[in-house]
Amino acid sequence: MGPLWLASTPQDLVSFCAVSSAVLVRREPRPRIPLLFVMEVSVEIRTPVNYKADDPQQPLSRVVPISSSHLFSYRVVIILRLFILGIYLQYRYTHPVNDAYALWLVSVLCESWFSISWLLDQFPKWSPVNRETYLDRLALRYDKDGEPSQLPHIDVFVTTADPSREPPLVTANTVLSILAVDYPVDKVTCYVSDDGYAMQTFESISQAAEFAKKWVPFCKKYSIEPRAPEFFFTEKIDYVKDDIDLSFIKDCREMKREYEELKVRINALVAKSQKVSKEDWQMQDGTPGPGNNPRDHPGMIQMFLGHDGGLDTDGNELPRLVYVSREKRPGFSHHKKAGAMNALMRASAVLTNGAYILNVDCDHYFNNCKALKEAMCFMLDPANENKTGFVQFPQRFYDVDLDDRYANHSMVFFNINMKGLDGVQGPMYVGTGCCFNRQALYGYDPVVAGDDVEKSLLMSQKSFTKRFGQCPLIGGATVTDTTNAATLLKEAINVISCNYEDETEWGEEIGWMYGSVTEDILTGFKLHTRGWISIYGMPSRPGFLGCAPINLSDRLGQIHRWAFGSVNFLLSRHCPIWYGYNGKLRFLERVTYINNATYPITSIALVVYCVLPAICLFTGKLISPEIKDVYGMWFIIFLLSIIATIFLELLWSDVSFRDWWRNEQFWVIAGTSAQPFAIFQGLFQFITKIETKFTVTSKVDDQKVNELYVFKWTWLLVPPTIITIINLAGIAFSVSSAIIDGYESWVPLIGRLFFTIWVLAHLYPFIEGLLQRENGIPTSFILSSIVLAMIFTLWWIRVDPFKIDKWLEVNIGSTVTNIYNKLFAKLLDFDL
Ligand SMILES: O=c1ccn([C@@H]2O[C@H](COP(=O)(O)OP(=O)(O)O[C@H]3O[C@H](CO)[C@@H](O)[C@H](O)[C@H]3O)[C@@H](O)[C@H]2O)c(=O)[nH]1
Ligand SMILES: [Mn+2]
């Protein structure tokens, strides 16, 4: 078992090394990988080879085209929709509603923005692709049986921050899935960053390392999947199957028992941590712990397993496991996850220096043990090897077999948008399940020709230090190699200290980007603007699965954070509209980033559009002069073109209708709650420069599963509640007036109800949550929403809409129509 609690600063390094169970550091040679590749390529050019299976010219992956008939009709429909939209908008601009000018003006403005955001979203999906890898060729070329493996070293990073919201058991499972990965054990190192500086996390990792000695040989012996024990044992094992191996059943039961014991030990640690106050932690020898304050503590590194850390039960070595908790001091900006990743990047540069880095959140375990090899098929593919910056895997989630009303898993984003981008310059980096080329994160440009490598690596010592900091082992500079373990460890502790990054380019130009911007998106954006491409890895067995549960308020909190990040992206110096015109970022890729930075704006238009139908019902007005005639016709044609694009999109992407519909619903729920708030907050911060807090999304835990779908009240839920009430009131109001007014008023009513029903259908999961008693929504909250909604509707009925319209018409005139006529009507030169 590992030591109890060890802190190591350079000062107590000596004692640290003495007690540590497994301090061994062996540094890989510096990553001259690009150079090697270039040599390989030029060798191929000189010697023509006949195609053998291990022929280095043969690709390691291929693009699987989308069925050409689907793609063709999809594109035709997009173009048609563009035309129809043009005609529809022209009609709208030229036909103001005379007795409801305000309604018309607002709706036309919203529709214009919707159109822009549609363009931004649609066109990057013009050439979607699928991909396939050749793992057998990878093995033949780099990993022949009986020979030492030639596969590159990969450092796998796991981040954890808050043990109360990210249970140590979850992190332990993720770590176990990494230790059992199907990759040469001496070529993979697992780094865990603990921003919580938590005893229970540290101890759980130490326990997991011990357990790995039995777990890993078991996984490899029976080639099981997934290799995170919790999720392996929850899967139904069919014991009565004919061909099932009896020794497997026996070992399985034994393993399960061992795992249950591990769970008990970890849960005991967690329980203990709740009883003991933070200050009470002690070192193994009884001396007081190093503070145990997650906000004020020295940097700490502990190694487990690896070359010196004991063999597994089969007598084999295990991948090295490194626990890292970077130094924290009050008054320093720690840059959350991005800061943790950069600290890991430097520590790993000193200790193992893998040419590739793969990062996962602590709640995203390896679901496919070949995920690293999958990534290498793209990274080492002769066609792309020098320009692939990262390989992103889709973020999929473990299905907890519970109602997934709120847990929309962004199937539309991952199966449609990202596949589309894969056909442009590559998917965005989404924060987890992503394998990077270390050189790309160091800020180097992709290597185009052999001598460029030398150029990009050659940098004067001065600018090198200015960029990467004092440690000469970081950044790929050539230095005299130090192989002394103690020296290296000391250096590793040094590079995770608070002030290491002072006056360097970490977070600004290199590594993970800092700022209140969504750091992941920005990190990927930087790489794309430097000309790197990214690739979307979609093996049929998903590479990684997230196991964090999600309830509505958690999900809204997450959406809020992302939308807030997008607003900041838009307002930052990296704004994708203006930043990085150097010819390296492809146009449609830029469009996607612009879409990412501007999509929250759509929520403002959406809120308006969710209120408009109710107003129409109350006032009896319409957003268009004649609903039955021309408008109605174009509206229906337009609607059909929308349906057709969606249908074809679902067809080529294999996204189910249900997933798509959930996505739409969530778009409206989030768009009327989290997103508009994020806009105001973003603007507020932009003007006042006051930073907002980051809360870690909670993770699944045995005890927590039950409260999983509990609908927690948050202030974000007020606007959708008001919208729901107004729309319901609108229906009641108009139906009762129609009953009083008689038959004639029924026909126009149906047209108007269409929009109200559209709004309510989208908000349905939300309403459902609101109505469930056990969700504990305070009655006062519902009552105050009702009162607000009533004030709002009464105001609309009382205020004479004609007065506003007169004022608008006099003061603004038919501005929109005029502008439109000046700009476009002459250009297109046709009238309806
Ligand atoms: O100070 C911090 C804060 C967070 N984290 C880690 O960062 C990861 C993501 O944070 P979390 O709060 O779990 O965010 P989620 O909303 O669950 O994560 C999604 O959204 C994030 C961006 O907002 C991405 O970074 C993640 O990869 C993506 O899974 C987790 O592993 C955390 O442990 C740290 O290491 N240090
Ligand atoms: Mn998370």
Side-chain angles (χ1 to χ4, degrees), residues 332-381:
F332 279 89
S333 189
H334 295 293
H335 304 294
K336 304 154 201 162
K337 176 184 162 190
M341 298 304 285
N342 286 340
L344 279 191
M345 232 185 117
R346 292 190 299 268
S348 66
V350 173
L351 299 176
T352 48
N353 203 20
Y356 298 95
I357 291 171
L358 187 141
N359 92 285
V360 283
D361 290 356
C362 61
D363 53 353
H364 278 72
Y365 64 89
F366 275 59
N367 175 60
N368 181 336
C369 66
K370 295 204 169 5
L372 290 180
K373 288 184 175 170
E374 290 280 341
M376 286 308 114
C377 280
F378 297 118
M379 286 294 191
L380 305 176
D381 203 331

Side-chain angles (χ1 to χ4, degrees), residues 143-149:
D143 202 17
K144 281 209 186 86
D145 272 344
E147 283 174 32
S149 165

Side-chain angles (χ1 to χ4, degrees), residues 379-438:
M379 286 294 191
L380 305 176
D381 203 331
N384 289 330
E385 62 186 22
N386 294 324
K387 43 182 200 231
T388 308
F390 58 95
V391 177
Q392 174 70 60
F393 291 81
Q395 206 173 346
R396 298 262 187 264
F397 290 87
Y398 176 75
D399 184 7
V400 265
D401 266 349
L402 286 169
D403 175 7
D404 69 342
R405 241 175 318 163
Y406 309 124
N408 183 283
H409 296 146
S410 319
M411 289 302 277
V412 171
F413 175 78
F414 283 110
N415 278 23
I416 300 181
N417 295 67
M418 298 288 261
K419 277 190 190 178
L421 272 187
D422 202 14
V424 185
Q425 197 175 346
M428 294 188 272
Y429 166 49
V430 299
T432 178
C434 187
C435 183
F436 285 93
N437 181 331
R438 192 183 272 268

